[in-house]
């Protein structure tokens, strides 16, 4: 295991969760300035090395140089999630590292977010809070991901009152037939024409390059 300095070794999850319960996003003061991680990284602390390199790349050299020498700066660490209030948090999955600038400078460095993950069969619970995201198989066509999708669908059918549909219904005008053969690479558009069947709707995060898109020019392809 990589070596850690005394500050990093003291970053127990239970300590961070205890702070969150007292004050949401309550921080542990990790270092007094960015000078400390620089020295400790040189001494071999793996987490200090990561903090230092990430802040250098995110902040830019000029801002980084000003902040690292600032007497009113300290580095805070807190455990976080994508929610704003404690009662809404299903899982704490992010370790956030934030330089707190006390002087009235016109600089701002956003927190460095480190994702916390664990294998799906190794659930981590600390003080009644689930910690770490479950890791997914990068192969989206793997058996484990298929089983996971079936679990989500079953949970939706059995426990989500507003989604509960046991009976087949008229499907949308166009649906995607993804085949049942795991080795098949074929997908095709089906014009439903009033057919009755069971179907699932998936969401897509917009943004970035999308290799498959249905427009008039590509309709024949599918």
């Amino acid at each position: 295991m990589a070596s850690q300095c005394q500050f990093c070794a003291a970053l127990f999850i239970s300590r961070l969760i205890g702070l969150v319960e007292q004050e949401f996003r309550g921080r542990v003061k990790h270092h007094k300035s960015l000078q400390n991680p620089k020295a400790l990284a040189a001494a071999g602390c793996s987490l200090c090395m990561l903090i230092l390199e990430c802040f250098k790349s995110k902040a830019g050299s000029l801002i980084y140089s000003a902040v690292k020498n600032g007497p009113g700066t300290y580095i805070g660490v807190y455990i976080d999630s994508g929610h704003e209030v404690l009662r809404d948090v299903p899982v704490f999955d992010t370790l956030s590292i934030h330089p707190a600038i006390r002087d009235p400078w016109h600089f701002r460095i956003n927190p460095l977010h480190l994702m916390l993950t664990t294998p799906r069969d190794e659930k981590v619970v600390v003080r009644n809070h689930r910690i770490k995201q479950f890791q997914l198989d990068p192969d989206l066509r793997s058996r484990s991901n298929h089983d996971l999708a079936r679990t989500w669908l079953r949970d939706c059918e059995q426990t989500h009152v507003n989604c509960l549909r046991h009976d087949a219904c008229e499907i949308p005008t166009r649906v995607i037939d993804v085949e049942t053969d795991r080795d098949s690479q074929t997908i095709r558009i089906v014009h439903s024409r009033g057919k009755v069947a069971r179907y699932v709707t998936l969401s897509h995060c917009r943004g970035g390059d999308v290799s498959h898109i249905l427009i008039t020019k590509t309709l024949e392809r599918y």
Side-chain angles (χ1 to χ4, degrees):
M1 181 181 231
S3 62
Q4 291 182 320
C5 67
Q6 60 177 334
F7 301 102
C8 293
L11 289 176
F12 298 111
I13 294 296
S14 57
R15 181 185 179 192
L16 296 174
I17 289 294
L19 284 173
V20 166
E21 291 175 340
Q22 297 173 31
E23 177 187 357
F24 202 60
R25 296 195 176 98
R27 301 171 185 174
V28 171
K29 292 184 178 180
H30 185 240
H31 286 293
K32 292 182 179 179
S33 75
L34 287 177
Q35 288 286 5
N36 286 40
K38 185 175 181 180
L40 293 168
C45 177
S46 56
L47 183 54
C48 285
M49 289 180 189
L50 179 62
I51 292 172
L52 193 67
E53 290 306 313
C54 288
F55 277 133
K56 278 183 179 179
S57 63
K58 283 179 60 124
S61 58
L62 292 178
I63 294 178
Y64 173 78
S65 297
V67 171
K68 75 175 183 178
N69 296 314
T73 303
Y74 73 91
I75 297 177
V77 179
Y78 57 94
I79 196 165
D80 201 4
S81 72
H83 295 73
E84 295 300 322
V85 291
L86 183 61
R87 66 175 178 273
D88 293 336
V89 175
V91 56
F92 286 100
D93 57 8
T94 306
L95 189 67
S96 295
I97 303 169
H98 192 193
I101 304 174
R102 293 174 178 171
D103 287 349
W105 299 338
H106 298 291
F107 305 128
R108 175 175 176 78
I109 301 180
N110 292 324
L112 167 65
H113 301 299
L114 304 177
M115 189 64 66
L116 305 174
T117 64
T118 186
R120 182 159 291 276
D121 58 351
E122 297 180 14
K123 185 177 181 179
V124 179
V125 177
V126 177
R127 297 170 66 105
N128 295 321
H129 299 285
R130 189 161 75 82
I131 311 298
K132 302 183 180 182
Q133 276 191 10
F134 288 133
Q135 296 170 350
L136 291 176
D137 189 330
D139 179 7
L140 297 181
R141 298 169 62 246
S142 70
R143 175 58 61 187
S144 62
N145 282 337
H146 282 202
D147 292 342
L148 178 59
R150 291 190 184 95
T151 299
W152 287 341
L153 287 171
R154 185 169 58 250
D155 184 55
C156 178
E157 291 179 335
Q158 296 176 356
T159 65
H160 296 173
V161 176
N162 293 329
C163 300
L164 195 58
R165 292 286 183 89
H166 289 296
D167 299 329
C169 59
E170 184 175 324
I171 60 179
T173 304
R174 287 185 293 272
V175 292
I176 300 174
D177 182 0
V178 295
E179 298 284 350
T180 57
D181 183 358
R182 293 183 66 245
D183 294 325
S184 174
Q185 297 288 332
T186 303
I187 61 173
R188 64 191 182 97
I189 299 296
V190 176
H191 292 269
S192 61
R193 296 184 174 86
K195 289 182 180 178
V196 173
R198 300 183 70 194
Y199 68 96
V200 62
T201 302
L202 304 178
S203 61
H204 168 64
C205 180
R206 294 186 177 274
D209 182 41
V210 179
S211 56
H212 296 283
I213 184 170
L214 180 63
I215 56 178
T216 303
K217 292 181 179 179
T218 62
L219 185 59
E220 291 300 322
R221 186 187 309 169
Y222 301 107

